[in-house]
Structures are given as C-alpha cells and as structure tokens.
Amino acid sequence: MAANCKLLAFKGLTNNDAVDFDSLWAVLSSSLREIHTRNASKLSFEELYRTAYKLVLKKKGELLYIKVKEFEQDWLSDEIRPRIFGTISSSLLLGTISTTAITTTNEKRVAGERLMKALKEAWEDHNLCMNMTTDVLMYMDRVYCTDNRQPSIFTASMGQFRDFVLRSSIPSHDDMTIAMILYSVILDQIQMEREGDLIDKALIRSCIYMLEGLYETEEEEESSKLYLSSFEPEFLVASEGFYLSEGQSLLRDSDAGTFCRHTRRRLNEEQDRCRSTLSPLTSSKIKAVVERDLIKANIKDVIELESSGVKVMLDHDRLGELEMVYDLISRVDPKKEELKRAVQKRVVELGTDINSAMINMSQAPPTKASKPEGEKPDGEGKQVVEKPVNQQTAAAIKWVDAVLQLKEKYDNVLAVAFQSDQGLQTALSRSFTDFINAFERSSEYLSLFFDENMKKGIKGKTENEVDSLLDRGITLLRYIQDKDMFERYYKKHLSRRLLMKRSVSMDAERQMISKMKIEVGNTFTQKIEAMFKDMAVSEDLSSNFKKHVARLGDPDPKRAELDINVLTSTMWPLEAMGPSYNDGGKKLICIFPPSIDRIKQGFEKFYLDKHSGRRLTWQANMGTADIRAYFPESKGKIKTRELNVSTYAMVILLLFNDLPDGASYTCEEIEAKTNIPTNELTRNLQSLAVAPKTRVLLKEPMSKDIKSDDKFFFNASFHSQFNKIKIGVVSGGNRVEDMEERRETEKKNNDSRGGIIEAALVRIMKQRKELTHQELITEVIQQLTARFAPDVNMIKKRIESLIEREYLERKDDTERPAYVYLA
C-alpha cells in the first residue's frame, strides 16, 4: 500500500558528518508519539525528514527501520489493543461461542456496534498516523527499503495492525481473537438484516474496508486480502446454512409463488448488500450460494407443490409466477429439466382429458334421431336452415378446437413466461405430438375440421381471418406423425366438397394446398392438386359437350342437360367417396332410364373420340340431379316443384313416370329395375318416402325400416310451400367413420404404406448398392418419418418380399446381416 509522498532535497550534508543515532532517534520517537497522540501541529516535518535523512545517509537505515517497527508494535500493543479489549463485552465473547447467549436483537446490535466503532477509529487513526510517518521516513523507504527489498514502513505497519490488533488473543480466551469476534459481529448484523432489522451499514462497510486494506503477506497480492482469506469464507459458510434452513422453512410454510418472490428478493438483497455493506468481490460468490442452497436444493419441490406448483400456475394462468419459476431454474439448470418435465406432464394430461372427453362425446347416445337434410326455401325473406352436423362430427370439430385452444394457451405461456425458450418450445411440441398421436382418430378429426370450415366455417370471414384459421389447423398437422392417413381423409373430404360444390371459397381451398405444400412437401399435395386440375378440365369439357349437342340440333325439347366431372381414377379416392358397388362379390352397374342413358352414351362417344384408348366408368353414387315434378293441387291446378336429389334418387323417381295412377313398385322390383346396391337403395328410399318433409313417395306399410316387399307409390298429394326442395340422403355427407370403416381405411393405408416402403428400399439400395440390415432400416425410417412412422416389422416384411422377387439378395460372407442390390 503506498502512502502520499513529497520528495525534499537538502544541501550541505556530507558523509563525513558524524551522527549520534540515539539522540536523533529520541527526537524521532518523541515526534512519532506526538503524531499518534494527535499533537503534530507544532512539529516541523522538514526537520524530522532531515533527521531521518541523516540516519539513512549514515548507513543507519536498517536500525531506523527496526526502531520504527518496534515503536509501532509497542504503540499498537500498549495503547490500541487495550482500548479494543475494553469494548468487548462478555456477551460478545459468549455470543461467539453460542448464538443463544445474547437474548435480544438490540443487545446484539449495541454490543457489536461498540466493537466495530472502536476498530473503525483505531484503523482510521493508524492509517492517518502512518501516512504522516511515511512522509517523515520517505527517504528511508526510497533508499533502504528499496535496496534491501523490505516492505515500506507503511506496509509493515499495516501488517503489524493485523498481527498485534486483529489477531491478538483475548485475555483469558486464548483460542479467540479480536478478528474472530469481529467476524462474528458482522455475521450477526447481516443475520439481523436478513431477518428484517435495521443495521448500521456504513459502520460495517468501514470494517470491511479495513479487512480489504489488510493482507496476509507483505507482497499484498489481491487474493491475499484479509477480507477474501478470512472473512468471506466464514460469510459464505454462514450463508449456506441460513439459506438451506430458510429453503426448508419456505417449503413447509408457504406456497410456490411466495417461495419464488422471496427467493428473487433474496437475490436482489444479497447483491445490494455486496454493493453497500460488504464488497463487490463477494457478489458472484454469494449469488452462487443462494442459487445452490435456496434454488437448486428446492426448485424440484417448488415445481411439484401439489396446491401451488407449476401445475396450478399453468391451470390458473399465473404467468407472473411462471416467469419467476423460469427465471430461478434458469440460474441453476440451463436445460430446465424439472420445469420441462412438469410442463410436458401437464400438457399430456390435459390433452389426454380432451381425447377422453371426445371419445365419450362421440359414443354417447344421440339426443335426436338422425334426419336427412331438410327443405330449403327458394325465395327472398326465407331463412336457409343449415343441417346440423351429427354427434360424432361435432365431437371431431370440438376436439380440434379444444386442442387449438390448449395450443394457443401454452404458446402464450411460452412467449410471456418462458421467454420463448427453445428447449421448452421443443418440450411443448413433444407433448402435443405425444397426446395427439395417442388419439387414433386425430388425422380424421383434423380433416373433418378443415372440411366443416371450408363448407361453413369461413363464410363471412375476412381474408386474414381465413388465413389465421388455416394456419392454426396446419399447426396441428405438424404434430401428426401419420400424415399419409391425414392425406387419405383429406382427399376423401375434399372430393365430396368439389363434386357437391360445397366449398365456400375455392381460393381458400387453393390457399390450404399451398400451406400444406410448404409444411409437408410437394409429394403430399400432388394428387390433391391433380383433383383441382380434373375439376377445371371437366368444366371446359361440359361446356364443349353442350356446344357439341347444340351443333347436332337435338330436336328433343325435354332432353336433360349434363354437367360432367371426369376424374382421373388414380388421383381421386373413389373407393372412399361412397359405399362399395360390390354386392356378394359381383360388381353392380346402375341401370339408367333410357332418356338418361342416351345422354350418357352420347357423352361417351364425344369424349372417347377425343381421347381414344381411355375408359369411362360412371360413378352414380357421387352425382346429383335437378328434376321437375308435377303435383296436382286444389281446383284442378298443377303445381311444379324443382327437386334436388341424388343420382340414385333420380333413377328411382323416373321409374314412376311410366306407372299408372295408384300403381306401385316393391323395393325388390325397384332394385331389379335399377340395379342400385341394396344399402344405397335403402338410404334413398328412406329419404324419398320416410322423411316427413320430403315424402314425394308413399310407403306401405309406413315404417322407418325398408323391407324387400314394401310397396312404394307416387305421392300425388305431396305439398310444400317451397318451389325448390333439396332432398338429402339419410346419413349422407362427411361423418366420422365407424369401427368397421376405420379398420378398412387402416388396412388400405397399410397396403399403401407397403408400396411406399418398397419404393424407399429400392431407391436406397439402388444408390448404395450394399448395406447392412440395421443401416437399411435406419435410412428407410429417416426418409419416411416426415410422412408416417414406419413399422420396423413392416419394413422387414417388405425386404423379404423384395428378396423373393429378386430385387435384393442377402450377403453371406459378413458378420452382420447385409443386403446387395440386384440390378
């Protein structure tokens, strides 16, 4: 430690002048005493400097150095130390041994402050006096101390204060020193402040400054500061015990939010204490103690607290408390494992609850019997009543809405409370992936969600609202692992929207395709885009066919108009868009009325003349027809009604044109004349003869069930207030598949997967030529994971199939199973 110095030069002194050391030392020692007793105002520092200068010049520097040290030692031992001892009460001595000896906080404070004030005054006086002494002995420091590598007199005197004051043993207590009592007092004062009492921070800071100014060695290295070597370790040990105890107390007596608030306050308090009371050197170390003993030791228990932990915070949207939990755990665990585990667990629990609720909802008995679509008015002022979705479809839409609400909630938690932490975002994504894919109908439900919104949900929405809705749905698609299953359902639902012209906006449909292409790639949307292309081509084809008919000049005024959709069989899910045509293993082809059959054959000739080599297969189950019906009314008038019906219903109704009044057909006769599959015939007859508002046919006997010998009559007394009537098919439209349909869909999807897996196997082996079994399995899984999660057993079966068909062969001369590609 350096003292302030001024260099003085004197003339006229030579080495030949003899000096009397004892007399000169008597003058110096007397002056030093005056300095220490604060009577230095009458001293001539120039004369004192000259005296010391003479002694050093006459080679008496070493003796002078020793004498000054002895003087300072005697002064500290005889004058300062007794003064300090006098401030140490018996209560402080006992308090150092047992903290229960001092019974009140006030007694602790008063006794401790008395000691600290005495030490503060002694230290400051010693510093002041030694600065003045250093000015007197400046030449000795400059010449003797430098030449002989001795510490300056100021540095030496600081070491004496350390040894003969702070480290002095207490009379009758040889195992205790003033420093030990000082440390105990400061720690007691800090304990009081932690417990909410007021303390004299400035006084403590003065004592800490003293400890920072004293060193263990004369080299005065930074690490050897008495504060760092002696006091700080005791402070950190005491803090460890305090925070370990406080952590347990908080867990026992408070909730998680209180724990987090208290801990954050403690962190701030300790930083403030280091700035204002202790030393900034301790800031990082005490921070580590709080983080280890208060946070790390307890954060797992805080997160898992049953009545107030992270689960409760999440459920009650306590974002402030969650932010504190995130902040605390970030300090002790960069990966935040416990928080991630708690959040994941809660998300999966809530997602599983959603899954269970939807299963229960879809399986609950319906409140009302299923009804076909009702009549729709055609006229101003008449409200069109939408057909309510069936219970299972409602459950599907509600499931998607519930999952999206859960996703939005946790996205908000992630952004606001968790600072968009990447690790927690990944954990949340994994949680949603887990419970969404644990629900076997997730692909189907998501497709139904899009279907209902494309048909009804986006009506009246702005472009931005539609974009937001589609983005939300795409978010869930991102979590679905079996994207090929979703594709199958989406194509099925899309095909019906396109063919039935049920889409509210074709722009929204194309927008959806663009979003899917970005999310899952071009391969996923190729067939869907081809479906739209078919619709555009079919529109031009229908227009050209009408022009062709007009040029032919057909004389039949009652000729039906034909709007045709020509679908590429490999692109459309024909088997999924309606019930099968197979009846007992024989494929049934609908028998159209002659007038319709002529138009059908005319179009076939028109189309095949342009596209030779193609084959058209008519899908009667997918079409609709608008027919005009005449019903007698009162006073002999005939009332015309326009009926919108399925193609099968049109075929059935046209049979009654050639039937005499009062005559009937049995169900069996209608089936024989039309060749309509039994299940389709039943559903259409129920719509035409059983539904109360659309009974254009009468049934005997009247019942909901259709039997082969039931008779059907034209209902000449049919009446409706509307001119245009839509007769829907019972249980028609998109709905959730039953278990049998679900199994059939899964079987078809697995068959499709088999082909995809084989293609991947051949593609990989063609490129790599030779691979071990495990390498081949791994590469196939990596390539197909984006589309679906391949089953290892299925991959093995496809490998065996390729070996049998000589695409691959086993390699025999290897330790591990391996395959070779056969060109």
Side-chain angles (χ1 to χ4, degrees):
M1 183 175 293
N4 295 326
C5 300
K6 292 182 180 179
L7 296 179
L8 299 176
F10 294 95
K11 297 180 180 179
L13 186 65
T14 67
N15 286 335
N16 296 323
D17 296 337
V19 295
D20 181 0
F21 179 84
D22 291 337
S23 61
L24 292 177
W25 169 244
V27 173
L28 286 174
S29 63
S30 174
S31 299
L32 292 177
R33 183 169 296 277
E34 292 296 320
I35 290 172
H36 279 291
T37 55
R38 301 185 182 182
N39 291 319
S41 58
K42 297 179 181 180
L43 297 175
S44 171
F45 278 85
E46 182 177 344
E47 289 296 329
L48 294 174
Y49 177 85
R50 188 181 184 88
T51 302
Y53 177 82
K54 286 180 183 181
L55 293 173
V56 175
L57 194 64
K58 292 299 181 177
K59 307 299 181 181
K60 301 295 183 181
E62 181 179 2
L63 187 57
L64 176 61
Y65 184 79
I66 293 171
K67 286 291 186 179
V68 173
K69 286 182 65 177
E70 288 176 352
F71 175 86
E72 293 300 333
Q73 179 178 334
D74 293 341
W75 178 264
L76 291 172
S77 300
D78 300 337
E79 300 292 336
I80 303 302
R81 189 164 60 193
R83 233 181 280 164
I84 303 299
F85 285 158
T87 64
I88 300 175
S89 64
S90 58
S91 60
L92 282 181
L93 292 173
L94 295 174
T96 306
I97 302 171
S98 171
T99 56
T100 60
I102 301 178
T103 56
T104 68
T105 301
N106 189 54
E107 287 178 349
K108 286 183 180 181
R109 183 186 300 108
V110 172
E113 288 177 353
R114 188 185 304 118
L115 171 63
M116 288 191 292
K117 285 177 182 177
L119 280 170
K120 172 180 178 289
E121 292 173 1
W123 167 253
E124 290 175 350
D125 283 347
H126 188 64
N127 263 274
L128 177 63
C129 294
M130 291 314 301
N131 271 304
M132 296 172 70
T133 302
T134 299
D135 287 343
V136 172
L137 303 174
M138 188 184 305
Y139 190 72
M140 182 187 72
D141 280 344
R142 181 182 169 204
V143 176
Y144 169 76
C145 293
T146 302
D147 291 347
N148 293 276
R149 298 184 178 181
Q150 293 291 332
S152 69
I153 196 63
F154 186 90
T155 300
S157 67
M158 294 300 107
Q160 288 177 311
F161 189 91
R162 173 195 68 214
D163 295 334
F164 298 108
V165 177
L166 289 183
R167 290 180 174 172
S168 296
S169 296
I170 309 298
S172 72
H173 292 80
D174 293 339
D175 58 337
M176 296 177 62
T177 63
I178 293 174
M180 292 170 61
I181 297 175
L182 174 64
Y183 300 162
S184 177
V185 166
I186 296 175
L187 293 177
D188 278 345
Q189 296 280 320
I190 292 172
Q191 176 76 8
M192 292 178 206
E193 187 181 36
R194 284 171 174 165
E195 292 173 354
D197 294 320
L198 294 176
I199 61 173
D200 191 339
K201 295 182 180 181
L203 181 58
I204 297 174
R205 183 70 188 105
S206 296
C207 293
I208 296 298
Y209 181 74
M210 174 186 69
L211 296 175
E212 287 185 304
L214 297 174
Y215 295 82
E216 294 285 355
T217 63
E218 293 175 343
E219 286 76 15
E220 296 189 344
E221 296 175 349
E222 179 75 13
S223 60
S224 67
K225 284 183 175 181
L226 215 58
Y227 174 82
L228 294 176
S229 64
S230 300
F231 173 76
E232 188 184 73
E234 291 194 26
F235 169 69
L236 295 177
V237 169
S239 299
E240 288 174 11
F242 174 80
Y243 283 117
L244 284 172
S245 174
E246 184 173 68
Q248 293 302 308
S249 176
L250 285 170
L251 282 177
R252 183 176 61 252
D253 301 330
S254 62
D255 58 26
T258 301
F259 182 98
C260 294
R261 285 187 290 272
H262 184 84
T263 301
R264 182 175 280 186
R265 186 170 66 251
R266 285 298 194 201
L267 285 164
N268 293 332
E269 286 175 359
E270 294 297 343
Q271 297 306 301
D272 290 340
R273 183 173 295 113
C274 289
R275 285 191 294 268
S276 64
T277 308
L278 300 179
S279 168
L281 297 173
T282 308
S283 179
S284 61
K285 299 171 188 175
I286 188 61
K287 175 173 170 283
V289 169
V290 178
E291 290 175 348
R292 182 185 66 244
D293 298 317
L294 186 57
I295 301 175
K296 189 174 183 178
N298 302 295
I299 194 65
K300 182 176 184 293
D301 294 327
V302 171
I303 288 172
E304 294 177 353
L305 279 174
E306 186 174 350
S307 58
S308 61
V310 166
K311 175 182 175 181
V312 176
M313 294 177 188
L314 291 169
D315 291 347
H316 294 85
D317 297 323
R318 297 175 184 171
L319 299 183
E321 293 182 357
L322 287 168
E323 188 275 330
M324 287 191 289
V325 172
Y326 173 81
D327 174 60
L328 295 182
I329 198 170
S330 297
R331 294 172 178 271
V332 298
D333 179 13
K335 294 183 178 180
K336 309 164 194 72
E337 292 294 346
E338 293 299 334
L339 180 58
K340 284 197 291 189
R341 190 176 295 112
V343 174
Q344 280 184 282
K345 180 181 178 183
R346 188 56 184 155
V347 171
V348 172
E349 286 174 352
L350 293 172
T352 303
D353 289 344
I354 293 172
N355 293 345
S356 300
M358 293 308 106
I359 292 173
N360 294 336
M361 179 180 174
S362 64
Q363 293 176 349
T367 54
K368 293 183 180 180
S370 297
K371 293 182 180 181
E373 290 191 80
E375 302 168 2
K376 294 190 178 180
D378 181 48
E380 294 182 2
K382 302 290 185 178
Q383 183 177 3
V384 178
V385 180
E386 294 279 5
K387 176 186 175 183
V389 295
N390 64 46
Q391 189 162 301
Q392 287 187 326
T393 304
I397 297 168
K398 189 172 181 179
W399 178 84
V400 175
D401 285 336
V403 174
L404 286 173
Q405 288 176 10
L406 187 66
K407 179 70 170 59
E408 288 174 359
K409 171 177 176 170
Y410 278 86
D411 281 347
N412 184 54
V413 170
L414 181 67
V416 176
F418 299 155
Q419 301 177 18
S420 300
D421 183 87
Q422 188 64 45
L424 281 161
Q425 184 176 12
T426 301
L428 282 172
S429 296
R430 191 178 300 118
S431 302
F432 277 89
T433 299
D434 289 346
F435 83 77
I436 287 174
N437 289 285
F439 186 51
E440 62 178 10
R441 291 188 178 271
S442 56
S443 298
E444 182 182 9
Y445 277 19
L446 180 58
S447 180
L448 278 169
F449 169 80
F450 283 123
D451 184 62
E452 287 297 319
N453 277 288
M454 289 297 187
K455 291 191 296 187
K456 304 173 186 177
I458 64 174
K459 189 180 294 183
K461 291 185 181 294
T462 65
E463 186 175 332
N464 288 337
E465 289 172 335
V466 172
D467 188 67
S468 175
L469 185 145
L470 297 182
D471 281 338
R472 293 169 68 215
I474 289 293
T475 298
L476 293 195
L477 175 59
R478 191 173 298 132
Y479 296 128
I480 290 177
Q481 292 176 339
D482 295 337
K483 291 183 175 61
D484 58 336
M485 185 69 85
F486 170 80
E487 178 190 7
R488 184 173 293 274
Y489 283 114
Y490 190 83
K491 285 168 58 181
K492 168 185 171 182
H493 297 148
L494 173 64
S495 65
R496 290 177 179 169
R497 291 199 300 276
L498 294 178
L499 295 176
M500 304 296 180
K501 295 180 171 56
R502 298 291 303 277
S503 289
V504 173
S505 168
M506 294 305 293
D507 288 338
E509 294 280 7
R510 294 186 179 91
Q511 188 178 356
M512 178 64 188
I513 293 174
S514 298
K515 290 181 181 295
M516 286 195 293
K517 184 182 294 186
I518 293 171
E519 183 62 32
V520 291
N522 294 338
T523 304
F524 186 87
T525 58
Q526 280 179 348
K527 291 186 177 181
I528 297 175
E529 290 176 300
M531 292 165 66
F532 278 89
K533 183 179 179 181
D534 281 351
M535 294 300 293
V537 170
S538 295
E539 188 175 341
D540 293 338
L541 197 60
S542 295
S543 175
N544 292 335
F545 179 63
K546 289 177 183 178
K547 292 176 182 177
H548 170 73
V549 172
R551 286 195 297 270
L552 292 177
D554 194 324
D556 186 1
K558 294 184 179 180
R559 176 187 175 89
E561 292 187 1
L562 180 67
D563 284 320
I564 192 75
N565 291 314
V566 179
L567 314 179
T568 306
S569 59
T570 56
M571 299 299 171
W572 290 72
L574 303 181
E575 78 287 349
M577 295 191 307
S580 174
Y581 281 91
N582 293 312
D583 191 359
K586 182 181 179 182
K587 187 170 184 179
L588 301 177
I589 299 176
C590 179
I591 301 172
F592 289 94
S595 58
I596 302 300
D597 196 56
R598 284 196 303 273
I599 300 171
K600 171 175 163 287
Q601 292 177 9
F603 177 79
E604 287 180 354
K605 184 177 185 306
F606 168 78
Y607 182 82
L608 295 176
D609 284 346
K610 291 188 174 184
H611 305 282
S612 60
R614 296 186 181 179
R615 182 168 62 89
L616 292 175
T617 302
W618 294 82
Q619 307 287 339
N621 61 305
M622 298 181 197
T624 61
D626 292 326
I627 59 177
R628 188 173 292 113
Y630 302 95
F631 300 94
E633 299 221 347
S634 59
K635 300 180 181 178
K637 294 182 179 180
I638 300 295
K639 185 66 176 179
T640 304
R641 297 284 186 272
E642 290 187 11
L643 308 179
N644 177 260
V645 296
S646 69
T647 301
Y648 282 145
M650 174 202 71
V651 173
I652 293 169
L653 289 174
L654 290 180
L655 290 178
F656 289 85
N657 277 344
D658 302 327
L659 198 66
D661 293 342
S664 65
Y665 285 121
T666 64
C667 176
E668 189 175 8
E669 290 172 334
I670 295 174
E671 185 173 2
K673 288 179 176 291
T674 61
N675 217 22
I676 296 174
T678 303
N679 57 348
E680 284 288 328
L681 180 63
T682 299
R683 294 170 60 236
N684 280 275
L685 287 175
Q686 285 176 327
S687 298
L688 295 171
V690 177
K693 297 182 179 180
T694 58
R695 290 178 183 168
V696 294
L697 299 179
L698 296 176
K699 175 179 177 293
E700 287 185 2
M702 185 59 195
S703 65
K704 181 179 179 180
D705 297 330
I706 304 295
K707 298 179 180 178
S708 60
D709 56 350
D710 287 346
K711 293 182 179 180
F712 294 89
F713 303 83
F714 177 68
N715 183 11
S717 62
F718 174 78
H719 174 76
S720 175
Q721 58 179 322
F722 305 114
N723 290 327
K724 292 184 178 181
I725 305 166
K726 182 172 183 177
I727 303 177
V729 179
V730 171
S731 300
N734 290 337
R735 58 182 178 79
V736 176
E737 293 179 329
D738 58 31
M739 291 307 297
E740 184 177 348
E741 291 171 326
R742 173 77 183 178
R743 283 192 292 269
E744 182 66 20
T745 299
E746 288 178 346
K747 181 180 180 301
K748 292 174 181 175
N749 201 58
N750 285 336
D751 292 342
S752 175
R753 285 183 180 181
I756 295 172
I757 290 173
E758 279 195 1
L761 287 166
V762 172
R763 186 167 57 248
I764 293 168
M765 290 302 298
K766 188 175 183 180
Q767 181 182 5
R768 302 290 295 276
K769 305 303 181 186
E770 181 179 325
L771 277 178
T772 66
H773 175 79
Q774 191 56 48
E775 288 173 339
L776 182 56
I777 295 287
T778 301
E779 287 210 27
V780 170
I781 292 175
Q782 288 176 347
Q783 284 198 11
L784 300 181
T785 297
R787 187 169 178 81
F788 60 90
D791 180 67
V792 174
N793 290 328
M794 184 180 290
I795 297 175
K796 291 179 179 178
K797 288 180 181 178
R798 305 324 298 180
I799 291 175
E800 293 297 328
S801 176
L802 290 173
I803 291 173
E804 290 175 3
R805 288 178 284 157
E806 297 183 350
Y807 283 91
L808 306 177
E809 72 173 2
R810 287 188 175 87
K811 190 173 182 181
D812 297 328
D813 56 345
T814 57
E815 294 182 3
R816 292 181 295 173
Y819 306 102
V820 177
Y821 178 71
L822 300 177

